[in-house]
Amino acid sequence: IVGFPGETEEDFLETMDVVRKVRYDSAFTFQYSRRTGTPAAAMEDQIPVDVVKDRFDRLLAEVQEICDYVLIISKGQLAASGTPDQLEELSHGKDSIELTIKADAEIIQSTFDTISGIHTVSWTGQKENSCDLIIEPKENAETLCENISVAFASKGIPITKINILKASLEDIFLELTDQSPEEKKGDK
C-alpha cells in the first residue's frame, strides 16, 4: 500500500530500493485511500492524494520495467538480456522473405544470381509452373524485396506472393540458445 498515513519520502524510497533488489516479477500494489470509521482514517500525517498518486505511479513504473526485463540463459550462461524491444533489435537482419514465383527453377535461380543482398535461398515447394521459396537476406529485407520485384518484373516474371516474415523473440531465443524449432518442441 502506497501512501499510508505517516509514510515519508524516505520510507517510499526504501520500498523502491527493495523492489529493485528483489526484482519482483509481479506485484499487487494499491494506493492508500482514507475510509471513514477505520483506525487509519483517524491517524495524523495523512498523505496528500497527489503525492500518493505520484508515488504509486513511480512504483508501478519500476515494477513494470523489472517485469519487462527478459533474461535468456542457455547452458548455464547468460545469452542475452533486455526488454522485449531491446531484444527485438537483435532480430534486425534476421527477417526472411517468403515468395511464390511463376517460373521454372532454372529461370528463378538465374534471376537470383543477378540480385545482390541474398544470403540464402531455400526452395520450399515446386508446383507445375511456380516455385515457393524462403530468402534469407544479408541485411535489409525491405530493400531486398524491392530489388527482387524489380529484377523479376524486368524479365516479365510474375511474383504471386511476396511476404516479409519478421523474426520473433522466439526465433531470437532459438538462435541464441542454438536450438532448432524441432529441439524446442521436444523440450516441452
Side-chain angles (χ1 to χ4, degrees), residues 97 99 101 111-112 115 118 135 143-153 159 162:
I97 304 167
L99 294 162
I101 302 172
T111 305
F112 281 142
I115 303 169
I118 295 175
I135 306 293
T143 302
L144 185 56
C145 276
E146 291 174 23
N147 294 343
I148 290 170
S149 296
V150 168
F152 281 91
I159 297 175
I162 188 164

Side-chain angles (χ1 to χ4, degrees), residues 40-153:
M43 294 175 75
E44 294 183 18
D45 296 329
Q46 296 288 323
I47 310 298
V49 173
D50 61 326
V51 173
V52 173
K53 181 173 178 1
D54 174 67
R55 289 178 183 170
F56 178 78
D57 291 346
R58 288 164 41 206
L59 179 60
L60 199 58
E62 186 68 32
V63 169
Q64 190 61 50
E65 185 176 323
I66 291 167
C67 291
D68 283 349
Y69 200 79
V70 177
L71 298 174
I72 298 176
I73 298 171
S74 176
K75 299 174 185 142
Q77 300 292 317
L78 180 65
S81 65
T83 65
D85 288 341
Q86 290 167 335
L87 292 174
E88 290 272 343
E89 288 294 315
L90 295 174
S91 74
H92 288 302
K94 307 260 189 277
D95 298 339
S96 55
I97 304 167
E98 179 181 40
L99 294 162
T100 300
I101 302 172
K102 286 195 143 241
D104 70 34
E106 279 184 39
I107 293 171
I108 293 171
Q109 186 59 56
S110 69
T111 305
F112 281 142
D113 291 342
T114 67
I115 303 169
S116 63
I118 295 175
H119 183 260
T120 58
V121 177
S122 301
W123 300 82
T124 58
Q126 196 164 358
K127 298 176 190 122
E128 186 176 309
N129 197 19
S130 69
C131 295
D132 298 324
L133 312 112
I134 301 287
I135 306 293
E136 302 278 335
K138 287 183 180 174
E139 292 183 19
N140 186 295
E142 286 84 6
T143 302
L144 185 56
C145 276
E146 291 174 23
N147 294 343
I148 290 170
S149 296
V150 168
F152 281 91

